[in-house]
């Protein structure tokens, strides 16, 4: 249950941070300047990207097996491999303007990295 909570908390915290980032960028006028039906599209894109990260993070549940949990390489791969592959596909899909896609990925990876370090420390008995 601990690893499923990590997945859900990563999704919720990263979604809130992404939505706050979109709100700040729209308030400053950097994105969504035109008055059209697509003004709120960045909010949907932020939630959609975080949802794909949520789905790709189910490999964290592999840490329930002792073989994966005890090996640091397998543990890191279970946390970061599929989300990193999704980032590569996102970069290839938006090759002419990659930075907006990357900015939507940063909060999820920061939260995921924090939970990775925390879970690594708790299995070693430090926390």
């Amino acid at each position: 249950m601990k690893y499923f909570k990590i997945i859900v908390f990563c999704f919720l915290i990263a979604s809130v941070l992404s939505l706050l980032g979109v709100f700040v960028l729209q308030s400053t006028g950097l994105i969504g300047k035109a008055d059209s039906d697509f003004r709120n599209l960045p909010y949907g894109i932020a939630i959609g990207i975080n949802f794909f990260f949520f789905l790709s993070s189910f490999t964290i549940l592999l840490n329930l097996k002792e073989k994966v949990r005890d090996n640091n390489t397998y543990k890191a791969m279970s946390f970061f491999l599929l989300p990193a592959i999704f980032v590569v596909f996102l970069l290839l899909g938006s090759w002419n303007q990659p930075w907006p896609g990357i900015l939507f990925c940063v909060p999820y990876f920061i939260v995921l990295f924090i939970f990775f370090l925390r879970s690594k420390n708790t299995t070693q008995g430090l926390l």
Side-chain angles (χ1 to χ4, degrees), residues 45-64:
I45 292 171
I47 293 295
I49 287 174
N50 283 319
F51 184 71
F52 277 111
F53 278 128
F54 171 74
L55 292 177
S56 67
S57 292
F58 274 105
T59 56
I60 293 173
L61 295 176
L62 291 173
N63 286 300
L64 294 173

Side-chain angles (χ1 to χ4, degrees), residues 2-3 6 60 63 69 75 79 112-125 127:
K2 169 181 141 181
Y3 294 108
I6 288 174
I60 293 173
N63 286 300
R69 186 177 46 236
K75 189 171 191 165
F79 270 81
L112 190 64
F113 186 71
I114 290 170
F115 278 117
F116 172 71
L117 291 178
R118 187 167 180 238
S119 72
K120 186 175 176 184
N121 289 339
T122 56
T123 57
Q124 294 175 354
L127 289 178

Side-chain angles (χ1 to χ4, degrees), residues 90-123:
L90 190 65
L91 284 172
L92 292 175
S94 60
W95 61 273
N96 56 349
Q97 294 180 347
W99 287 110
I102 293 298
L103 291 177
F104 285 129
C105 301
V106 169
Y108 196 88
F109 273 107
I110 290 172
V111 173
L112 190 64
F113 186 71
I114 290 170
F115 278 117
F116 172 71
L117 291 178
R118 187 167 180 238
S119 72
K120 186 175 176 184
N121 289 339
T122 56
T123 57

Side-chain angles (χ1 to χ4, degrees), residues 6-16 47 50-51 54 108:
I6 288 174
I7 296 169
V8 171
F9 285 144
C10 281
F11 173 70
L12 293 176
I13 293 170
S15 294
V16 168
I47 293 295
N50 283 319
F51 184 71
F54 171 74
Y108 196 88

